[in-house]
Amino acid sequence: MTHGYPPGTGRSPEPAGPYGTRPPGGPGADPYGAAPGTGRAAGAGAPYAIPWQQTAETAGTAGSGWAAATGAHAGTGFGESAGTAGAAEPAAEAPAPARPGRDRYLDVLRSVALVRVVVYHLFGWAWLTVLFPSMGVMFALAGSLMARSLKRPAASVIRSRVRRLLPPMWAFAAVALALMFAGGWNPREDPDHGGTWGLLSLLNYIVPLGAPPYPAETGFPGGLLESGWAVEAAGPLWYLRAYLWFVLASPLLLWAFRRAPWPTLLAPLGLTAIVGTGLVTIPGETGNAVTDFAVYGGCWVLGFAHHEGMLQRIPRYVTVSCASLVMAFGLWWASGHLGPDGWDLNDIPLAQAAWSFGFVVILLQYSPSWRELPGRLAKWDKLITLSNNRAVTIYLWHNFLILLTVPVIDLMYRLPFMQSERASAALDSASSLWMFALVWPLIGLSVLAVGWIEDLAAKRRPRRWPNGGGPAGEGGATRSARRG
């Protein structure tokens, strides 16, 4: 689909982003501190609740949404009631109520979505948008968590979400803008963002209600990157705009959903059929923003439906059958409206909306609500924990880091054993694989360098590598955390 951004690393910036992005847990719980009696993390305090993590502010809602499905009850642990412990030792103090733990199935979905986004922007494989519609999944998870949080006053929830969103973006914007200006970009003279309006549009790097501007071509210090680097580095910022729009609209959307669930759930698909097919054209970035809102609005409201238990009240065979029909329609529409990149659903708004909607319905209908990763997935526990705690950092920086792999590979050509024609040809043919191998260490360095800003945004003590293990301050020990 069109977002008003030129293509990213060989692709259009994905409707990625990560830019949607939620652990339950109570006040004072570490995002991955042990929950009493669970053997798992309590899961409080994600940096902010975009499609990647539940936050401390979503805590305390046992008995609703997926938290209820896990069997965590106030006053009981897992498999042992508070009353049982009291009978064994009448004089003993009653055990503390167990907090709802993280839903590790949802954590896995976020991690898979992030990896898929990176791979898509690296290799540009259109079929990945069909295999796993990452953005629809992340917006749905964010919608569910937003519905949970709105048990509190709407103004405080919106303020908390915005506070968690902005500082990581400011860090990225500070670096990106400094490099753009150093490369010679003058927004006042930019043909696409010129004059006073171009200067005012820079405010979107502070609060992304609109599209943050960037030059189609500009230099880069040392000439390390090609002139179009800003397009690829800043392109994924569309996601922050879309997420912010959803956050601001959520109180009204949830009110409408609770009074008219089916019309509210299906309205975004109808809106996409109007603004995403050319039937009605809204010019400029406003049109792109409205289209993004329509395309992923159904997934966001599906998050509401999941939290409210609506999907679980419908027989599974009915849900899956209807979702499959919607997905089939999406593929049928795509087949007649293929863009320059073929089956890339990002270029086909109605197909993207329908396919993502049906895909998310099935994922949420079959949600197993894992308290612990089962079987072989358990060995990925720390990486999944880390990616969920630093999802925003990974999403914001991944495209820029993909670009930085290019000068690193260029240095490899200077190695003594790479001077033969055969060795150079081999490196040429495997350059994409080298980029894939190099980007992950660079992402790890970005987590160490700026990931702690997510903790500051969430009013937590900064942690360098929050993978659920290690000493206090690294994400492994329970400590006090302020509610957002």
Side-chain angles (χ1 to χ4, degrees), residues 8-96:
T9 308
R11 313 299 305 161
S12 56
E14 180 167 5
Y19 346 9
T21 134
R22 319 270 165 32
D30 178 81
Y32 285 89
T38 68
R40 282 305 313 153
Y48 60 90
I50 70 179
W52 359 73
Q53 278 195 326
Q54 294 171 320
T55 64
E57 67 191 21
T58 66
T61 55
S64 67
W66 62 71
T70 64
H73 310 286
T76 67
F78 291 114
E80 179 183 12
S81 69
T84 303
E89 293 184 74
E93 207 175 294

Side-chain angles (χ1 to χ4, degrees), residues 206-424:
I206 301 176
V207 180
L209 291 172
Y214 45 82
E217 292 189 352
T218 189
F220 190 88
L224 294 177
L225 298 179
E226 295 181 354
S227 60
W229 70 268
V231 172
E232 302 185 24
L237 292 178
W238 76 269
Y239 176 84
L240 276 71
R241 175 190 64 193
Y243 173 75
L244 185 57
W245 278 40
F246 281 125
V247 166
L248 296 175
S250 282
L252 179 60
L253 286 175
L254 186 58
W255 177 87
F257 175 77
R258 287 172 172 168
R259 283 154 183 79
W262 287 108
T264 307
L265 189 62
L266 298 177
L269 290 176
L271 181 59
T272 305
I274 295 173
V275 301
T277 61
L279 187 62
V280 173
T281 302
I282 303 175
E285 284 301 331
T286 300
N288 294 326
V290 171
T291 300
D292 291 337
F293 188 86
V295 167
Y296 297 105
C299 293
W300 188 274
V301 179
L302 273 174
F304 292 173
H306 178 61
H307 173 262
E308 300 287 305
M310 175 181 172
L311 297 178
Q312 285 66 38
R313 291 193 291 269
I314 304 173
R316 180 172 288 177
Y317 73 91
V318 174
T319 305
V320 174
S321 298
C322 292
S324 299
L325 289 175
V326 173
M327 295 169 71
F329 167 78
L331 292 183
W332 170 79
W333 182 265
S335 68
H337 299 81
L338 299 179
D341 298 315
W343 283 86
D344 192 326
L345 299 187
N346 294 325
D347 300 328
I348 316 169
L350 184 57
Q352 177 75 286
W355 181 261
S356 297
F357 186 92
F359 197 96
V360 166
V361 166
I362 294 173
L363 283 180
L364 295 182
Q365 180 67 267
Y366 281 89
S367 176
S369 297
W370 294 329
R371 280 309 195 99
E372 297 184 2
L373 296 178
R376 295 181 179 179
L377 280 177
K379 67 182 180 181
W380 300 99
D381 184 88
K382 289 188 176 182
L383 282 177
I384 289 171
T385 298
L386 178 67
S387 64
N388 275 264
N389 270 330
R390 293 294 180 258
V392 184
T393 299
I394 294 170
Y395 183 82
L396 278 173
W397 291 89
H398 78 275
N399 245 20
F400 182 62
L401 298 175
I402 288 173
L403 294 175
L404 290 183
T405 63
V406 175
V408 174
I409 293 175
D410 287 344
L411 291 175
M412 297 173 64
Y413 285 96
R414 302 181 185 180
L415 297 174
F417 55 85
M418 293 298 302
Q419 300 309 306
S420 70
E421 201 171 299
R422 182 177 180 182
S424 296

Side-chain angles (χ1 to χ4, degrees), residues 73-174:
H73 310 286
T76 67
F78 291 114
E80 179 183 12
S81 69
T84 303
E89 293 184 74
E93 207 175 294
R99 298 186 183 98
R102 292 184 69 101
D103 190 324
R104 299 299 276 165
Y105 172 71
L106 301 183
D107 284 351
V108 170
L109 290 183
R110 292 183 199 102
S111 298
V112 171
L114 282 171
V115 171
R116 209 281 282 150
V117 165
V118 174
V119 173
Y120 170 85
H121 284 156
L122 180 59
F123 294 102
W125 293 330
W127 53 268
L128 286 174
T129 63
V130 178
L131 179 66
F132 193 87
S134 289
M135 301 316 300
V137 171
M138 293 196 290
F139 278 121
L141 299 182
S144 181
L145 295 162
M146 191 68 186
R148 248 185 122 171
S149 294
L150 284 172
K151 295 178 183 296
R152 300 192 291 114
S156 67
V157 173
I158 291 174
R159 185 169 58 250
S160 173
R161 290 293 191 269
V162 172
R163 189 195 71 233
R164 292 166 184 259
L165 173 70
L166 297 182
M169 178 185 176
W170 293 340
F172 176 83

Side-chain angles (χ1 to χ4, degrees), residues 409 413 426-436:
I409 293 175
Y413 285 96
L427 185 55
D428 288 340
S429 63
S431 59
S432 293
L433 294 178
W434 277 108
M435 293 172 71
F436 178 79

